[in-house]
Protein backbone atom coordinates (compact mmCIF):
# COMPACT_ATOMS: atom_id res chain seq x y z
CA UNK A 1 0.00 0.00 0.00
CA UNK A 2 2.87 2.37 0.80
CA UNK A 3 4.47 1.58 -2.55
CA UNK A 4 1.24 2.39 -4.40
CA UNK A 5 0.92 5.67 -2.53
CA UNK A 6 4.51 6.56 -3.44
CA UNK A 7 3.87 5.76 -7.11
CA UNK A 8 0.70 7.88 -7.11
CA UNK A 9 2.54 10.80 -5.49
CA UNK A 10 5.39 10.61 -8.00
CA UNK A 11 2.89 10.43 -10.86
CA UNK A 12 1.11 13.53 -9.57
CA UNK A 13 4.42 15.37 -9.20
CA UNK A 14 5.37 14.49 -12.79
CA UNK A 15 2.00 15.64 -14.12
CA UNK A 16 2.11 18.95 -12.24
CA UNK A 17 5.68 19.52 -13.45
CA UNK A 18 4.62 18.83 -17.03
CA UNK A 19 1.72 21.25 -16.75
CA UNK A 20 3.99 23.97 -15.37
CA UNK A 21 6.46 23.46 -18.23
CA UNK A 22 3.62 23.66 -20.76
CA UNK A 23 2.40 26.87 -19.13
CA UNK A 24 5.86 28.37 -19.37
CA UNK A 25 6.19 27.42 -23.03
CA UNK A 26 2.71 28.49 -24.07
CA UNK A 27 1.74 31.45 -21.93
CA UNK A 28 4.93 33.19 -20.88
CA UNK A 29 6.06 34.83 -24.08
CA UNK A 30 7.15 31.93 -26.22
CA UNK A 31 4.35 32.71 -28.66
CA UNK A 32 3.98 36.33 -29.83
CA UNK A 33 0.19 36.06 -29.77
CA UNK A 34 0.12 35.56 -26.00
CA UNK A 35 -0.43 39.15 -24.89
CA UNK A 36 -2.57 39.34 -21.76
CA UNK A 37 -3.91 42.78 -21.02
CA UNK A 38 -4.77 42.38 -17.37
CA UNK A 39 -3.89 40.33 -14.36
CA UNK A 40 -7.47 39.07 -14.18
CA UNK A 41 -7.05 37.27 -17.51
CA UNK A 42 -3.72 35.85 -16.35
CA UNK A 43 -5.31 34.57 -13.14
CA UNK A 44 -8.07 32.93 -15.17
CA UNK A 45 -5.58 31.27 -17.49
CA UNK A 46 -3.17 30.04 -14.80
CA UNK A 47 -5.54 29.64 -11.89
CA UNK A 48 -8.39 27.52 -13.21
CA UNK A 49 -6.37 24.48 -14.37
CA UNK A 50 -4.09 24.71 -11.34
CA UNK A 51 -7.10 24.66 -9.01
CA UNK A 52 -8.28 21.51 -10.75
CA UNK A 53 -4.89 19.86 -10.38
CA UNK A 54 -4.48 20.96 -6.78
CA UNK A 55 -7.94 19.63 -5.97
CA UNK A 56 -6.54 16.22 -6.86
CA UNK A 57 -4.44 16.36 -3.71
CA UNK A 58 -7.57 16.93 -1.63
CA UNK A 59 -9.61 14.15 -3.27
CA UNK A 60 -7.08 11.39 -2.64
CA UNK A 61 -7.75 9.90 0.74
CA UNK A 62 -7.09 6.69 2.64
CA UNK A 63 -10.82 6.26 3.22
CA UNK A 64 -11.48 6.02 -0.53
CA UNK A 65 -10.89 2.74 -2.25
CA UNK A 66 -7.86 2.12 -4.46
CA UNK A 67 -9.97 2.14 -7.61
CA UNK A 68 -11.50 5.49 -6.73
CA UNK A 69 -8.10 7.05 -6.00
CA UNK A 70 -6.66 5.71 -9.25
CA UNK A 71 -9.67 7.00 -11.19
CA UNK A 72 -9.13 10.46 -9.65
CA UNK A 73 -5.46 10.32 -10.65
CA UNK A 74 -6.40 9.47 -14.24
CA UNK A 75 -9.47 11.68 -14.73
CA UNK A 76 -8.22 14.90 -13.10
CA UNK A 77 -5.17 15.47 -15.37
CA UNK A 78 -7.24 14.62 -18.46
CA UNK A 79 -9.85 17.21 -17.48
CA UNK A 80 -7.13 19.72 -16.63
CA UNK A 81 -5.46 19.35 -20.02
CA UNK A 82 -8.87 19.63 -21.72
CA UNK A 83 -9.52 22.87 -19.82
CA UNK A 84 -6.09 24.23 -20.74
CA UNK A 85 -6.65 23.34 -24.39
CA UNK A 86 -10.12 24.91 -24.56
CA UNK A 87 -9.00 28.05 -22.73
CA UNK A 88 -6.02 28.34 -25.11
CA UNK A 89 -8.36 28.28 -28.08
CA UNK A 90 -10.69 30.84 -26.51
CA UNK A 91 -7.84 33.16 -25.55
CA UNK A 92 -6.20 32.83 -28.97
CA UNK A 93 -9.29 34.08 -30.76
CA UNK A 94 -10.69 36.47 -28.18
CA UNK A 95 -7.71 38.53 -27.02
CA UNK A 96 -5.79 41.22 -28.77
CA UNK A 97 -2.58 40.02 -30.31
CA UNK A 98 0.44 41.33 -32.17
CA UNK A 99 0.41 41.43 -35.98
CA UNK A 100 3.57 41.74 -38.08
CA UNK A 101 3.50 45.09 -39.88
CA UNK A 102 6.83 44.63 -41.63
CA UNK A 103 9.68 42.16 -41.50
CA UNK A 104 12.61 44.54 -41.54
CA UNK A 105 15.68 42.31 -41.10
CA UNK A 106 16.62 38.67 -41.51
CA UNK A 107 19.65 37.01 -39.97
CA UNK A 108 22.32 36.03 -42.49
CA UNK A 109 23.22 32.77 -40.74
CA UNK A 110 19.75 31.69 -39.57
CA UNK A 111 16.87 32.76 -41.86
CA UNK A 112 14.33 31.80 -39.16
CA UNK A 113 15.53 34.70 -36.99
CA UNK A 114 13.91 37.94 -38.09
CA UNK A 115 13.39 41.44 -36.75
CA UNK A 116 9.78 42.52 -37.11
CA UNK A 117 7.79 45.66 -36.51
CA UNK A 118 4.52 44.67 -34.88
CA UNK A 119 1.24 46.45 -34.14
CA UNK A 120 -1.41 45.49 -31.62
CA UNK A 121 -4.52 44.18 -33.40
CA UNK A 122 -7.69 45.53 -31.81
CA UNK A 123 -10.08 43.50 -33.94
CA UNK A 124 -12.90 45.63 -35.37
CA UNK A 125 -11.27 48.78 -33.99
CA UNK A 126 -8.21 48.48 -36.24
CA UNK A 127 -4.67 48.64 -34.90
CA UNK A 128 -3.27 50.38 -31.85
CA UNK A 129 -1.05 53.42 -32.17
CA UNK A 130 1.65 51.83 -30.10
CA UNK A 131 3.85 49.19 -31.63
CA UNK A 132 7.00 47.27 -30.90
CA UNK A 133 10.13 46.05 -32.65
CA UNK A 134 11.12 42.50 -31.73
CA UNK A 135 13.54 39.81 -32.76
CA UNK A 136 11.58 36.63 -33.42
CA UNK A 137 13.34 33.32 -32.89
CA UNK A 138 11.83 30.00 -33.82
CA UNK A 139 11.74 27.57 -30.88
CA UNK A 140 11.16 23.84 -31.39
CA UNK A 141 9.92 24.58 -34.92
CA UNK A 142 6.44 25.44 -33.64
CA UNK A 143 6.78 28.24 -31.09
CA UNK A 144 8.20 31.70 -31.64
CA UNK A 145 10.08 33.63 -28.98
CA UNK A 146 10.04 37.45 -29.11
CA UNK A 147 12.82 39.62 -27.71
CA UNK A 148 12.52 43.44 -27.77
CA UNK A 149 15.34 44.92 -29.81
CA UNK A 150 16.68 48.39 -30.59
CA UNK A 151 17.45 48.67 -34.29
CA UNK A 152 19.86 51.56 -33.67
CA UNK A 153 22.18 49.23 -31.75
CA UNK A 154 21.88 46.41 -34.28
CA UNK A 155 25.06 44.87 -35.69
CA UNK A 156 24.47 45.36 -39.41
CA UNK A 157 27.03 42.71 -40.47
CA UNK A 158 24.84 39.95 -38.95
CA UNK A 159 21.53 41.11 -40.47
CA UNK A 160 20.27 41.56 -44.02
CA UNK A 161 17.71 44.31 -44.72
CA UNK A 162 14.69 42.66 -46.42
CA UNK A 163 11.76 45.07 -45.75
CA UNK A 164 8.98 42.57 -46.49
CA UNK A 165 5.31 43.07 -45.72
CA UNK A 166 3.98 41.23 -42.71
CA UNK A 167 0.56 39.76 -41.98
CA UNK A 168 -1.25 43.07 -41.66
CA UNK A 169 -4.31 43.54 -43.85
CA UNK A 170 -6.40 46.59 -44.58
CA UNK A 171 -10.07 46.41 -45.64
Amino acid sequence: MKMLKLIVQLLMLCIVTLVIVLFILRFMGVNPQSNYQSTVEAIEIYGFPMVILLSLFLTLDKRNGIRRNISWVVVTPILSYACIFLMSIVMLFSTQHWIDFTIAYQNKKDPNRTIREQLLDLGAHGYADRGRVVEVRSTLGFFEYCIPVDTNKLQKNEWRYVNRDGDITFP
Side-chain angles (χ1 to χ4, degrees):
M1 187 67 173
K2 289 183 180 183
M3 187 66 160
L4 180 64
K5 185 176 180 180
L6 180 65
I7 291 172
V8 169
Q9 289 174 347
L10 288 176
L11 181 67
M12 288 189 312
L13 181 66
C14 291
I15 290 171
V16 169
T17 305
L18 181 65
V19 167
I20 290 171
V21 168
L22 288 175
F23 273 135
I24 289 170
L25 283 176
R26 177 67 178 96
F27 295 113
M28 295 221 170
V30 178
N31 189 350
Q33 281 81 20
S34 63
N35 180 35
Y36 300 111
Q37 298 298 320
S38 67
T39 56
V40 174
E41 290 176 349
I43 289 170
E44 289 174 0
I45 289 297
Y46 300 125
F48 185 62
M50 290 308 257
V51 165
I52 293 172
L53 279 176
L54 291 176
S55 69
L56 178 63
F57 294 110
L58 299 175
T59 55
L60 295 179
D61 195 5
K62 292 179 183 178
R63 293 173 282 181
N64 295 340
I66 293 176
R67 287 185 183 173
R68 187 167 185 175
N69 282 339
I70 290 175
S71 65
W72 280 118
V73 168
V74 171
V75 169
T76 303
I78 290 172
L79 290 177
S80 299
Y81 284 122
C83 289
I84 292 168
F85 180 72
L86 292 175
M87 288 171 52
S88 308
I89 291 173
V90 168
M91 292 306 291
L92 181 66
F93 292 110
S94 67
T95 60
Q96 302 167 352
H97 56 278
W98 294 100
I99 297 291
D100 297 333
F101 183 69
T102 59
I103 300 172
Y105 295 97
Q106 186 175 22
N107 194 314
K108 291 180 180 178
K109 295 178 183 175
D110 185 11
N112 291 330
R113 286 178 55 195
T114 56
I115 294 179
R116 303 176 185 180
E117 297 175 33
Q118 296 180 335
L119 293 176
L120 190 63
D121 185 9
L122 301 176
H125 301 289
Y127 300 98
D129 295 333
R130 62 186 168 115
R132 67 180 185 175
V133 178
V134 293
E135 177 186 345
V136 179
R137 296 180 179 181
S138 180
T139 306
L140 301 174
F142 182 71
F143 296 103
E144 292 180 337
Y145 185 69
C146 294
I147 304 169
V149 68
D150 184 13
T151 55
N152 294 329
K153 298 178 182 177
L154 196 64
Q155 295 182 3
K156 302 291 183 182
N157 58 354
E158 295 180 8
W159 298 93
R160 182 177 65 226
Y161 184 70
V162 292
N163 197 23
R164 289 188 309 219
D165 289 336
D167 300 330
I168 198 165
T169 57
F170 294 102

